[in-house]
Amino acid sequence: MAEVSSVVRDPKRLAAVRATGLLDTDPEPQFDQYARLAALTTKAPRAFVSIVDDRHAFWKSTIGFGDLAVADRQYPVQATACQVLIGTNQPLIVEDVARDPLVRDLAMAERWGMAALAGHPVHGPGGEVLGGLWVMDSAPRAWSETEVLVLSTLAQAISAEIALRDALSRANRHVSLLQAAGKVSSELAQTLQRSLLPPLIPEMPGIDAAASFIPAAGGVIVTGDFYDLFPTGGSRWCAVLGDVSGHGVPAAQITALARYTIRADALNTLSPSRVLEQLNQALLAQRIPDERFLTAACAILRPEEGGFTGLLTTAGHPSVLLRRADGSVESLWTSGTVLGLFEDADLGQDRFTLWPGDALVMYSDGVTEAHIPDDWDLFGEGRLIKLLAESAHLDAEALVKRISDAALNHSHGHMIDDMAILALRVPPPD
C-alpha cells in the first residue's frame, strides 16, 4: 500500500481537499441527497460520501448509520478503503469483503459488519481524487453493471456540486481583489452555465439531434434552463428539458441536482413519469427555502422497425411538439404539476412514435413568451407550430436555429427569459 499512500499524501491533492471546506463539517442536504439516491438505486442498506486528507477519511454524509456526531464520522485513512480508491482513481467493487485482501482486515469493515462494498471516486475541479461515494451491504452480493453506472453518475454529480462551490468561492475572492467585478461575474456565470449543460449533444443512433441555449441576460447571470440527452441502457435513450424558477447560484444548484438525479433514475426505469416523480421527491428532500420549483419535459425512446417509439411526461411544462414529415404538427402534453412544491405531482405519460422525417421539439417558455418591450404580443405556440409546419425539410440543427432566430426576431432581440430548445429528428430516406 506504500504507493497508494504516497498518492494520498500528494500536496496538490491535499490542497484541493482543504479548498473544499468540507472536512469535519455537519451534514448538508445536497450531499445527503446523493448518498440517499445511491442507497436507493443500488438497494444497499448503507451509503456514505467520504472526503479524505492525509490523516483521516471524513464521512460528509451517511445514510443508514443512524445519527453520528462529527467525531464518529472519521476514521484513520489506513482503516478505510479510501486510500485504495485514491491510489487507483478507479471504482472499487468488492462482492465479498471476506475474500478480498485489500479490504477484509479493515477496522471499518469489522465495526459495521461490511460484507460487500462499492465505491466511485469523487473529484475536485482540477481532477484530484478528494474521496468517494460508497455503498455497502451486510451480506456478500454482486453489484450489477447498472448499479455501478448509477454510482458513477452520482459521484459525478457530487463532483459537480463541489466544482460549483469552488467556482463561487473563487469568484467571491476575485470580486474583492479586482475592480472589474462585472467582468469576473460574467465569466463566472458563463462558466457555471456551461457546467450545467452537456458540452456536446451525443450521437444517438438513428436520430439527428441538436440543441440550443440562449441566456436572457447575455450570460452574466446563472439561470435554470437545462437540457440533456443520454443512453439509459440497451437501445433506450432519455431526452429531457427543464426550467428552474429564479436565477443565480441557488438555481444552478437545483439544476445540477435535477440533471444528475434524472440521469441516475432513468437507468432504472422505462417510465418518464417515474423519473420525474423521483426528481420531485429529491427536490422536496432538499427543503428548498424559497420554494423554487422546476418544470420539465422528459421522454424515453427506443428504436422500432423503421422508427422510434417513446413515452413522454410533462410536469407543468409547455407542450412538446411533434412535427410529422408531411408538415402536420401534434401538441403532446400530459397532466402533472410543477416539481418541488407538492408531494404528489400527479404525473401522467403519453405514448408517441417517430417515423422518418418526423421531429420532436422540446423548448422552454422563453421561446413562446418572447415579445418586444411594452408589447405583450407573445411569440406563442401558434406561431411556433406554423414555423414547424413550414420546416419539414430542415435537419435538427437548422430547425433549432430557425426557432431561436424567429423568437428573437419577434422580440427584436429583447429577452425576458432564457430560451432552451432540443430537437430530435429521424432522418428521411436518402
Side-chain angles (χ1 to χ4, degrees), residues 125-192:
E128 307 87 355
V129 181
L130 306 176
L133 172 63
W134 302 86
V135 288
M136 68 166 68
D137 211 324
S138 55
R141 59 173 285 181
W143 303 97
S144 71
E145 181 179 348
T146 297
E147 289 169 339
V148 174
L149 183 57
V150 165
L151 202 63
S152 170
T153 300
L154 294 175
Q156 292 176 43
I158 294 171
S159 301
E161 171 71 23
I162 291 172
L164 191 67
R165 294 177 178 215
D166 178 74
L168 178 61
S169 175
R170 286 188 291 108
N172 288 335
R173 290 196 298 270
H174 288 165
V175 168
S176 65
L177 294 173
L178 302 175
Q179 293 182 348
K183 179 181 178 181
V184 174
S185 298
S186 175
E187 290 176 351
L188 169 66
Q190 293 172 19
T191 299
L192 294 184

Side-chain angles (χ1 to χ4, degrees), residues 332-414:
L332 307 180
W333 177 88
T334 67
S335 63
T337 65
V338 298
L339 306 178
L341 295 183
F342 309 106
E343 284 289 340
D344 183 7
D346 191 28
L347 299 172
Q349 60 186 21
D350 195 10
R351 186 177 298 274
F352 64 91
T353 58
L354 290 175
W355 303 112
D358 293 349
L360 190 74
V361 178
M362 298 177 172
Y363 57 93
S364 62
D365 58 11
V367 174
T368 49
E369 294 181 1
H371 63 87
I372 63 176
D374 302 321
D375 185 342
W376 284 89
D377 178 22
L378 304 183
F379 183 69
E381 187 178 274
R383 284 188 176 94
L384 181 55
I385 289 174
K386 184 175 184 295
L387 180 149
L388 292 179
E390 298 169 350
S391 306
H393 60 291
L394 298 180
D395 63 16
E397 184 174 356
L399 182 60
V400 166
K401 186 176 187 305
R402 185 167 187 182
I403 294 170
S404 59
D405 286 350
L408 288 171
N409 288 338
H410 178 78
S411 66
H412 297 181
H414 170 69

Side-chain angles (χ1 to χ4, degrees), residues 252-312:
Q253 290 178 316
I254 296 171
T255 301
L257 171 66
R259 272 198 67 203
Y260 288 105
T261 300
I262 290 170
R263 277 186 167 248
D265 288 330
L267 297 172
N268 294 300
T269 180
L270 304 178
S271 166
S273 63
R274 176 62 178 164
V275 171
L276 294 187
E277 285 170 2
Q278 289 289 92
L279 175 57
N280 186 53
Q281 294 305 312
L283 293 172
L284 291 172
Q286 286 283 67
R287 300 181 181 90
I288 302 167
D290 54 357
E291 293 191 336
R292 291 182 186 273
F293 59 87
L294 164 68
T295 73
C298 179
I300 295 180
L301 304 90
R302 66 178 183 182
E304 295 287 351
E305 186 175 354
F308 287 79
T309 62
L311 290 173
L312 171 74

